[in-house]
Amino acid sequence: MNTANTANTAKGARARARTEITAAIKEAARGQLAAEGAAKLSLRAVARELGMVSSALYRYFPSRDDLLTALIIDAYDSLGAAAEQAHHAAADATPLERWTAVCEAVRGWALAHPHEYALIYGSPVPGYSAPQTTVPAAARVGLLLIGIVRDAHEQGRLTGHALPAELSREAERMTADLAPDLPPEIVTALVAAWAQLYGLVGFELFGQFNRVVEDREPFFRHAVVRLAHGVGLEP
Amino acid sequence: MNTANTANTAKGARARARTEITAAIKEAARGQLAAEGAAKLSLRAVARELGMVSSALYRYFPSRDDLLTALIIDAYDSLGAAAEQAHHAAADATPLERWTAVCEAVRGWALAHPHEYALIYGSPVPGYSAPQTTVPAAARVGLLLIGIVRDAHEQGRLTGHALPAELSREAERMTADLAPDLPPEIVTALVAAWAQLYGLVGFELFGQFNRVVEDREPFFRHAVVRLAHGVGLEP
DNA sequence: CACAAAAGAGAGCACTGCTCTTGCTTTGGA
DNA sequence: TCCAAAGCAAGAGCAGTGCTCTCTTTTGTG
């Protein structure tokens, strides 16, 4: 997959055609995904759209689930890129403003790509267990949030809340894994806020807010600011 | 001629058989759901398991999606019942304790019925739009949380946070709909916490916490207490 | 009892993911 | 340059799916 970068032109025409066709397949599949959802993504329909026969597709993706996995990775990357771009555009703002910028970028991307969002943050596909390949792409938004909180911490703009004793071990473990330079209570709150952010987005996207929350943008913005407060970010 | 009874068996044998078979179908479908997930729920397999032919199933459910809808309603009810039972068991405790009891019941039910949880809080099925019939069942947990917060409010154990001006209209609309006796800032925070709760549960269930949060029970408990604080519940 | 309504059985349609075999084209090394 | 090897597309075919239609059997009731 991501091995054909530098040697792209050096490789023969065949290899180039391969990456091109692979991209075309993903493109067509993404189209079906956006139109009908993951459940109705049909290899045969993709093949038809590309003017090939269904069995030819198996030269590029060994199974339907592998195609889905490729789309999942792309979706994570697309979401991560959107979040990073929003963060970059707010680079000079306060940590709280950068936090909300990233969160709103996540929401915006989700609303623009509902089926792709459902693919990565909805129910996992049948027997599929997220391959390790998705991890780096999936981590991008989280890393962004960690970075924002780290900056706030360095600026002395953080106030934590005490942790219960039963959680201290796990909090320290998570801290060592994710951000050893931050206090454990902050890291814990950050991880929870990370999950809660996707709760807000998912509820809006999957219709749970129908007839409950109507004017969602200000609601989301406020919820996300309160989320930041919970992590310790001060205005 | 003989026996104009039908008083004790008001519905007749046929109607009873119908409800029995309907229940058996749902039961078998639930089994497949738990074993393989919603995507692999096959009408034919259900029929096979029951010793009927697939076409006979259509006398009970007009389509596969209708079967799924029935399972969705049952799942909402099962989750709602679990939450209500946990709430009832903690009836004499403080609002904060009742809050955590309900939240932990939701998490426990989700862990015990992952595929059913995915059915109701994961990505919606292809073209399906939640029929209005699911609403009352879906609302049970939310009503429970509203009731807890209302009790806390009556006991004077609530402290709200100011809302931004852009949100005041929507906050008042939601308050009028959901809990006119509560302050709008509380209702807003409550709705957000409701969504965030499912973010926490979903991330654990769908594997987003893998290699991130290991000891999840204390993490969840603490997160849920902080959630309650965010709504204004004091210990 | 007779008759209409309800239920089951079976065949069949259009579709799916996937495999296997058969030819054709490109490629890289001798 | 030539040629075997590898890559690729096509087609047929298998087992499975949701769903519809027709036909037969069962069953409750007038």
Side-chain angles (χ1 to χ4, degrees), chain A residues 13-14 41-44 48 54-55 58 63-64:
Chain A
R14 187 162 231 167
L41 195 164
S42 150
L43 278 189
R44 294 180 112 111
R48 256 193 311 269
S54 75
S55 58
Y58 287 81
S63 84
R64 197 193 96 121

Side-chain angles (χ1 to χ4, degrees), chain A residues 27-41 49 112-116, chain B residues 125-128:
Chain A
E27 185 60 33
R30 227 186 315 272
Q32 284 209 14
L33 200 69
E36 301 272 14
K40 298 213 167 174
L41 195 164
E49 188 175 326
H113 308 85
H115 287 110
E116 291 184 71
Chain B
V125 268
Y128 144 108

Side-chain angles (χ1 to χ4, degrees), chain B residues 155-208:
Chain B
Q155 297 173 16
R157 297 218 213 180
L158 271 187
T159 58
H161 300 72
L163 290 180
E166 59 168 0
L167 188 52
S168 57
R169 268 179 59 97
E170 174 67 7
E172 282 163 21
R173 203 200 51 73
M174 288 192 294
T175 303
D177 267 16
L178 299 173
D181 51 336
L182 292 178
E185 67 270 19
I186 298 291
V187 174
T188 305
L190 183 52
V191 172
W194 172 60
Q196 291 166 11
L197 163 64
Y198 287 94
L200 290 166
V201 174
F203 260 37
E204 172 172 0
L205 206 66
F206 297 159
Q208 232 80 30

Side-chain angles (χ1 to χ4, degrees), chain A residues 91-134:
Chain A
D92 297 330
T94 67
L96 181 60
E97 285 165 333
R98 287 192 283 156
W99 172 280
T100 60
V102 168
C103 291
E104 284 176 355
V106 169
R107 172 173 176 265
W109 186 92
L111 292 177
H113 308 85
H115 287 110
E116 291 184 71
Y117 184 89
L119 204 57
I120 55 183
Y121 288 111
S123 1
V125 267
Y128 146 106
S129 68
Q132 215 61 14
T133 18
T134 66

Side-chain angles (χ1 to χ4, degrees), chain B residues 67-84:
Chain B
L67 214 195
L68 272 180
T69 300
L71 294 179
I72 286 174
I73 295 176
D74 283 7
Y76 273 124
D77 270 323
S78 169
L79 168 61
E84 281 165 15

Side-chain angles (χ1 to χ4, degrees), chain B residues 6 16 31 46 48 60 64-65 72 88 98 118 136 138 155 159 168 179 225 234:
Chain B
T6 69
R16 217 177 329 144
V46 169
R48 258 193 309 269
Y60 299 89
R64 198 194 95 122
D65 281 5
I72 286 174
H88 184 75
R98 286 192 282 155
Q155 297 173 16
T159 58
S168 57
V225 169
E234 303 292 344

